[in-house]
Amino acid sequence: MSSLLYCRRFLLRSSSSIDSVHSSSISWFLLSSRRRTLSSVSDTKTEDAKRKRPPLKSFTVNYLVNSCGLSLESAKSRSRFVKFSTSKRPDSVLALLKNNGFTFEQITRVVKSFPSILIVNPDAVLLPKLLFFRSIGLTSADTAKLISNCPTTLSLSLQNRLIPCYDSLKSILVEEESILKCLRRGYWIFTLDTVKYLAARLSLCRDAGVKDQSIRRLVQNGPLVFFCSERKFNEVLSRVRSFGFDPKKMYFIHAMLVFFHVSESTVECKFELYQQFGWSRGEFVAAFMRFPNCVKISDEKIKGTMEYLVNNAGLKASAVAMQPFVLSLSLEKRIKPRNMVISDLLSKGFVKKEDLNYFQILKVKECVFVDKFVLKFQQVSSLQPSL
């Protein structure tokens, strides 16, 4: 009897336990399903939002291509440095540049070199700098050219870099026009610490005996030379001094401009070329000191001009060495036409050779030459005014 009672109790407990487990399983299943449903709805909403809003990077790339003129490859590369989700700020930047004289090509160059300009506040940051450039005498075209050649100029502080740089140039160049010539030749000058450079270069030049007037000419006409590295500057200065140029003469500066671009081996090669026409080393040095650019002239032009002057015009090579500027004149547009006129006048007896200074004839302006040697004899010769 007790055994039967025990079995009944066991069956009742087992049944109750099974029902409990079954009920729990159903509840867990329903809860899990609900969570999956909610998650699915949330994911769907997120995907819809992503589809409605274009990716940040692709928007930036498209803008760089369509509005700034960059190639797709260039735009992808630049998008690493600048990102934006709307065109409001970039549009205002481009409008400011366009309204201040920048061409589309110049804007493209600026954005390509300095892409983060598109997210800069145009009125608070860019406009004051553009107005500064106008205030120092640069035209809209000058400013656009300067900045498109060196876009990072716009990233520099107006108070801490641009104004101090201008003031340092003014301290040595004094006149506004001289400063503008310097800036047009050295568009990158604002990126340098000119205060530091000027102090060091002025000291070197003055110690070498170069006059302030000559230094001003160097800064104005050769900012690339004056603001080069200290090693290069010392090298050029040393070469010019060792060649024998007088630092008190302006040709010392001309020689610096030449030596900066011409190596010692090139100078030696030019000497060997002039030597073929009879120049001695002394004559070459004398010619170089009178006209340093004689070593920058191409070999072809040197050969053509020297051959014509010696063989056709009848000049001595040593005479050309005394007046080396003629080597820079156009053979076809000046030397040959004028020589033909003079030869015709000589053959007709209108002028005498001993009364002529051939180098002066080549040097004078076209209007002076025409008045003196063409119009004067037009009625009694077959010469034409066009000559």
Side-chain angles (χ1 to χ4, degrees):
M1 184 67 179
S2 61
S3 298
L4 291 172
L5 183 60
Y6 172 79
C7 291
R8 182 179 179 184
R9 288 176 179 173
F10 175 78
L11 291 172
L12 288 172
R13 288 176 181 174
S14 299
S15 175
S16 175
S17 177
I18 292 171
D19 290 341
S20 176
V21 171
H22 180 66
S23 176
S24 298
S25 298
I26 292 174
S27 298
W28 178 83
F29 176 77
L30 293 174
L31 181 60
S32 179
S33 297
R34 183 179 180 185
R35 288 177 177 172
R36 284 196 299 271
T37 301
L38 291 174
S39 177
S40 178
V41 171
S42 177
D43 291 343
T44 301
K45 289 182 178 180
T46 301
E47 291 299 325
D48 290 342
K50 287 182 178 179
R51 281 194 293 269
K52 291 179 181 179
R53 183 182 65 199
L56 189 63
K57 185 173 182 179
S58 69
F59 180 86
T60 303
V61 170
N62 289 335
Y63 188 90
L64 292 173
V65 172
N66 299 325
S67 299
C68 303
L70 274 67
S71 66
L72 180 58
E73 182 180 356
S74 181
K76 288 180 178 180
S77 174
R78 271 61 183 181
S79 67
R80 294 180 299 165
F81 307 103
V82 60
K83 291 180 176 60
F84 42 85
S85 57
T86 70
S87 64
K88 184 177 179 180
R89 175 60 63 81
D91 283 347
S92 62
V93 170
L94 297 186
L96 177 67
L97 295 178
K98 185 177 180 181
N99 292 336
N100 280 273
F102 285 72
T103 65
F104 184 75
E105 290 75 16
Q106 288 174 327
I107 291 175
T108 299
R109 291 174 64 181
V110 171
V111 174
K112 187 175 182 180
S113 298
F114 182 36
S116 56
I117 191 177
L118 295 173
I119 57 176
V120 172
N121 188 318
D123 295 324
V125 179
L126 300 180
L127 183 57
K129 296 174 184 178
L130 295 177
L131 293 176
F132 164 73
F133 291 127
R134 295 295 298 275
S135 72
I136 64 176
L138 289 172
T139 65
S140 295
D142 287 334
T143 302
K145 185 177 181 180
L146 182 149
I147 293 173
S148 62
N149 283 322
C150 190
T152 52
T153 300
L154 287 177
S155 69
L156 303 173
S157 168
L158 178 60
Q159 298 298 328
N160 298 328
R161 175 55 66 84
L162 300 184
I163 294 177
C165 177
Y166 176 80
D167 289 341
S168 65
L169 290 176
K170 189 173 183 180
S171 69
I172 182 66
L173 296 176
V174 183
E175 297 179 359
E176 181 180 287
E177 187 56 36
S178 296
I179 299 172
L180 296 181
K181 287 180 180 179
C182 175
L183 292 176
R184 291 182 184 119
R185 292 184 173 95
Y187 51 81
W188 33 262
I189 285 179
F190 285 107
T191 64
L192 303 176
D193 184 353
T194 52
V195 176
K196 178 180 177 181
Y197 270 84
L198 275 172
R201 298 296 183 272
L202 286 173
S203 178
L204 287 171
C205 289
R206 287 168 177 165
D207 289 345
V210 182
K211 293 184 176 181
D212 282 2
Q213 182 182 359
S214 297
I215 296 174
R216 283 195 290 272
R217 183 67 65 85
L218 179 60
V219 177
Q220 175 186 302
N221 296 337
L224 183 63
V225 179
F226 190 82
F227 292 105
C228 68
S229 68
E230 184 176 355
R231 180 193 62 78
K232 180 68 174 179
F233 189 83
N234 283 322
E235 176 190 323
V236 171
L237 194 63
S238 177
R239 285 178 61 194
V240 175
R241 294 176 69 181
S242 64
F243 211 86
F245 284 91
D246 185 352
K248 293 181 176 59
K249 304 292 184 180
M250 191 61 70
Y251 275 124
F252 188 89
I253 298 304
H254 296 167
M256 287 188 69
L257 296 173
V258 171
F259 273 133
F260 180 82
H261 297 285
V262 179
S263 66
E264 290 187 34
S265 60
T266 299
V267 172
E268 192 61 29
C269 287
K270 295 298 181 182
F271 164 63
E272 292 176 359
L273 178 59
Y274 285 116
Q275 194 177 33
Q276 295 176 16
F277 295 93
W279 283 18
S280 65
R281 179 168 286 277
E283 288 173 330
F284 171 72
V285 172
F288 181 73
M289 295 183 73
R290 291 188 180 93
F291 184 62
N293 280 333
C294 70
V295 298
K296 293 180 68 176
I297 302 172
S298 70
D299 291 358
E300 182 180 359
K301 178 166 173 50
I302 290 173
K303 290 178 181 178
T305 303
M306 287 294 293
E307 287 175 355
Y308 185 84
L309 291 175
V310 173
N311 300 327
N312 296 79
L315 298 176
K316 294 182 178 180
S318 58
V320 178
M322 295 294 290
Q323 301 287 343
F325 76 90
V326 297
L327 296 167
S328 66
L329 302 177
S330 172
L331 181 61
E332 300 299 329
K333 295 180 179 180
R334 176 167 303 192
I335 297 176
K336 283 185 177 180
R338 293 191 183 187
N339 184 62
M340 291 172 63
V341 171
I342 297 302
S343 296
D344 195 22
L345 291 176
L346 286 170
S347 66
K348 289 180 170 63
F350 293 132
V351 294
K352 296 180 179 180
K353 191 171 184 179
E354 56 268 23
D355 295 333
L356 299 176
N357 184 327
Y358 194 84
F359 295 105
Q360 188 63 29
I361 289 172
L362 294 178
K363 188 176 183 179
V364 297
K365 294 181 179 179
E366 184 71 12
C367 59
V368 175
F369 176 79
V370 171
D371 287 339
K372 190 172 182 179
F373 296 103
V374 179
L375 296 179
K376 183 177 179 180
F377 301 100
Q378 186 176 3
Q379 294 180 351
V380 292
S381 70
S382 60
L383 298 176
Q384 298 299 317
S386 59
L387 292 174

